Amino acid sequence: MNILAVTAGRKNGNGEILVKEALMRAEELGAEVKMINLHDYNITPCSGCESCTVKFTQKHEPPECIYKDDMDKIMKEWLAADGVIVAVPAFSYMPAGIYRIFTDRHLAYEPNFHKQVGNKDYFKHRVGAIIGNGGSTRSWMSLTLECINITLITQDIKVVDQMMANRAPRPGQILLDEAALNRARQLGENVIKGIQDYENVKFLGDQNLGWCPVCHSNVLSLGQPHWNSEGFVIECPICHCGGDLQKDENGKWKFVIQENGDEKSMLDGRGAKDHFFEIEDTMKKYFMNLEKIDEKRKKYTDYKPASI
Ligand SMILES: Cc1cc2nc3c(=O)[nH]c(=O)nc-3n(C[C@H](O)[C@H](O)[C@H](O)COP(=O)(O)O)c2cc1C
């Protein structure tokens, strides 16, 4: 059992401390562990060239990112791991930007897209767990676990646990919070349980963490039409399962997934496969209209507003 931990906070900061608790517990249970801090690596921000998605969907071939930096080295370990734990601090309610820079680059390594073009290197079961830590309460970390969850789900990782550590702004302050340290140990144990019973394991974290009964996220969207279907009344913006709000017997609102509400689920590959074909279809329109776009683009390339 190999576990890779990826941290995005300060050296010896609160996230690293929590992740180390989780790793120590995983090691006690027989895992081999590695930990990296993204600040130690050279990761170029994605330029948005889309050469990866064009190659995937228009040529049906596995792409390589145009950038040659530390991503390949990290992703080799990430894709080979049986378990991945990420620890990311909240910056402005969201995961710190350095983590987003790392995960934007995941597109060229997206397992469900590689599977779609028959790349067997990507057929591997992996479980994951999330630690989101911040200086404040959940209101000030409202999109942190949710955004991190997306980045693991799109990597075809089965997320078995998520924890939030609050109100520890200064480095090491989390050491005053025994409950958070114990919770991190439990998270390490849950990753081991997930690796040992991948097929049957269910979410082992707090079932009341959020609205969504599928991915446990705490945000909901009003549904919109999908590219090839009607859409749902209410949709989970993280796992894309849909349904509606209903009151339970105690008068408490619940998000209930409708019968076909998991047809675009991001948790079992169906959502990613559907998105692959959506991109294929949408980009076709571009390639069929290159001349028209070039003609219309001139107005905008000729217009040169002042820069700073
Ligand atoms: C730019 C910046 C923005 C931050 N925004 C938030 C925030 O929105 N919510 C929050 O709870 N904490 C916020 N914090 C506090 C950090 O999440 C907190 O210091 C955390 O412990 C850092 O983790 P680390 O010790 O692992 O580096 C912010 C810190 C910085 C530097």
Side-chain angles (χ1 to χ4, degrees), residues 1 3 5 12-35 85 131 175 181-182 184-192:
M1 292 184 292
I3 298 180
N12 297 313
N14 299 310
E16 278 201 0
I17 290 168
L18 291 166
V19 114
K20 283 181 177 174
E21 275 293 343
L23 292 181
M24 285 180 219
R25 181 67 185 136
E27 261 194 324
E28 283 167 18
L29 296 170
E32 281 178 35
V33 305
K34 286 184 184 167
M35 184 186 102
I85 303 176
I131 299 172
L175 291 165
L181 298 172
N182 288 334
R185 279 179 78 71
Q186 184 61 52
L187 179 138
E189 191 173 316
N190 289 344
V191 170
I192 298 294

Side-chain angles (χ1 to χ4, degrees), residues 8-17 87-94 133-137 140-141 144 165-172:
R10 293 166 289 199
K11 293 290 180 64
N12 297 313
N14 299 310
E16 278 201 0
I17 290 168
V88 189
F91 282 7
S92 303
Y93 314 3
M94 290 174 276
N133 63 290
S136 184
T137 56
W140 277 86
M141 297 178 61
T144 306
N166 302 108
R167 307 201 70 196
R170 297 303 298 148

Side-chain angles (χ1 to χ4, degrees), residues 15-78:
E16 278 201 0
I17 290 168
L18 291 166
V19 114
K20 283 181 177 174
E21 275 293 343
L23 292 181
M24 285 180 219
R25 181 67 185 136
E27 261 194 324
E28 283 167 18
L29 296 170
E32 281 178 35
V33 305
K34 286 184 184 167
M35 184 186 102
I36 65 164
N37 185 314
L38 292 175
H39 289 281
D40 291 331
Y41 295 84
N42 172 28
I43 303 173
T44 312
C46 173
S47 69
C49 77
E50 290 189 321
S51 64
C52 58
T53 37
V54 169
K55 197 150 186 209
F56 271 135
T57 63
Q58 308 302 304
K59 298 191 175 152
H60 288 211
E61 288 172 14
E64 268 183 30
C65 184
I66 57 164
Y67 290 123
K68 300 298 161 220
D69 51 16
D70 289 335
M71 269 311 271
D72 260 350
K73 184 160 77 180
I74 300 173
M75 291 311 285
K76 198 166 159 245
E77 299 280 347
W78 171 278

